[in-house]
Amino acid sequence: MAKPKRVGVYVRISKDRKGQELGIQRQEKACRELCERLGWGVRKVYPENDVSASTTSRRRRPVYAEMLRDARDGLIDGIVVYSIDRLTRRIGELSSFLEDQKEHGFAFATTEGEDTSTAGGRMVLTIKGAVAQQETERMSERINTSLLQRREQGKPHAGGRRQFGFRAGSHFQELDEVETGLIHGGWAMLTAASPKTPGDVARYWNSEGSTTPHGGDWTIQSVKRVYRSERTGGIITYKGQDIGDSVYGAPLTRQQWERVQSVLDSRSTPAAQGSGKRKHVYSGFLRCGSCGSALRVQALRSRWKEGPMEDEDYFDSLAHLRTELGSLRARQDASDIRRGRAETDDALAVWKNDDDGNLDQRRALVATVIDHVDVFSVGRGRRKPPEPTSIAVTPAS
């Protein structure tokens, strides 16, 4: 085989906590020295820093995949690595690599002297790959055993991002008094006799000048994440199993945490409890002017609540149409509500009352004058508000 002149040098290190890339620099130096001794020409270096190649890692290796594509396409005619465990720690991946080498005929070498040109050399390389995978799996087992022992002692996992209620850098061992106070205040709001909502808690925390651990404003979802976290209740888990209580304390007790779970669960169930009830004044009235399908008001409302949006996004949201006509259901609701309107003396007062409990009365007023509203798409890419002609209102008969 002729000496390769377009060699790719692959260097990788699993963990680079300081981000200095010293490990891959040493590997590259050794690989270049090997190429110089062999008379191989280096064309490109493929560095993959802080990326694991073990069987326990789910992260992809885009640089490794790029190198293999270049080898298959003939852009490089050789691959050099520091050692076989830098290339991979998976026996299946190693076997696939050797098949690619055999099929596409590129050279391969390591600084440890493996030879893939003979059956015996490939066997030795495969054995080394199996040993590397076994060592990785043993390391994983030792780590898992150590983590389980730590959990059983009531010590939470010390890694991960800071969580609201705990001091930064304390590894979840020390509480932040101010944030803990806010968590208690929010808990009292959620579990009161007349309970508030997570949205109320978000507004309360924002009004107090509090921010999320990432520095953002509180939202309904971010508040829920705080109360849904087992760490907030001092509960130690391992692989989804409840192990016990933390020895370091937590913003809420286990009993408080379990109570707020019941409150949040009761608010998030109910497709069964509220299913057929309208939640918006105009739901059932808006429909697509082209196909007649009812528009989902919730989709439009959620997009608008997120802030200003481009007209293109607005009209794109109109594409989310239901497949069933909603006019019959809207008319039935309107018929039931009209009877209640006869008992209403002041229609203007009813309309101005936008409480959730008054939604049916407000819909009754709409139903007396509107049968449905057709919304026509004016095309994608517009940067101006909708034209009046894009909406057609059909009065009630």
Side-chain angles (χ1 to χ4, degrees), residues 265-286:
D265 289 342
S266 66
R267 297 186 64 88
S268 61
T269 23
Q273 294 179 3
S275 50
K277 193 172 182 180
R278 300 291 187 183
K279 298 181 180 179
H280 308 285
V281 172
Y282 296 104
S283 59
F285 294 104
L286 300 181

Side-chain angles (χ1 to χ4, degrees), residues 161-182:
R161 297 179 177 179
R162 187 181 85 83
Q163 182 171 312
F164 191 69
F166 296 90
R167 288 184 180 177
S170 69
H171 304 295
F172 306 101
Q173 298 179 16
E174 299 178 11
L175 299 178
D176 184 294
E177 295 181 1
V178 174
E179 294 179 353
T180 298
L182 291 174

Side-chain angles (χ1 to χ4, degrees), residues 175-287:
L175 299 178
D176 184 294
E177 295 181 1
V178 174
E179 294 179 353
T180 298
L182 291 174
I183 291 175
H184 276 279
W187 179 87
M189 293 170 63
L190 294 171
T191 59
S194 298
K196 300 294 185 180
T197 67
D200 294 323
V201 176
R203 286 186 285 273
Y204 162 55
W205 288 359
N206 287 329
S207 68
E208 293 293 319
S210 174
T211 62
T212 68
H214 311 301
D217 292 333
W218 288 103
T219 64
I220 294 175
Q221 294 303 321
S222 58
V223 168
K224 285 183 177 181
R225 281 194 292 271
V226 171
Y227 288 106
R228 286 295 193 185
S229 172
E230 288 89 351
R231 281 175 172 166
T232 300
I235 300 172
I236 304 297
T237 60
Y238 179 75
K239 293 186 176 180
Q241 299 297 318
D242 187 340
I243 302 298
D245 296 327
S246 172
V247 296
Y248 299 119
L252 298 178
T253 65
R254 175 184 284 266
Q255 291 73 24
Q256 290 173 325
W257 183 84
E258 290 175 346
R259 183 177 176 185
V260 80
Q261 301 314 299
S262 300
V263 172
L264 295 176
D265 289 342
S266 66
R267 297 186 64 88
S268 61
T269 23
Q273 294 179 3
S275 50
K277 193 172 182 180
R278 300 291 187 183
K279 298 181 180 179
H280 308 285
V281 172
Y282 296 104
S283 59
F285 294 104
L286 300 181
R287 72 183 194 183

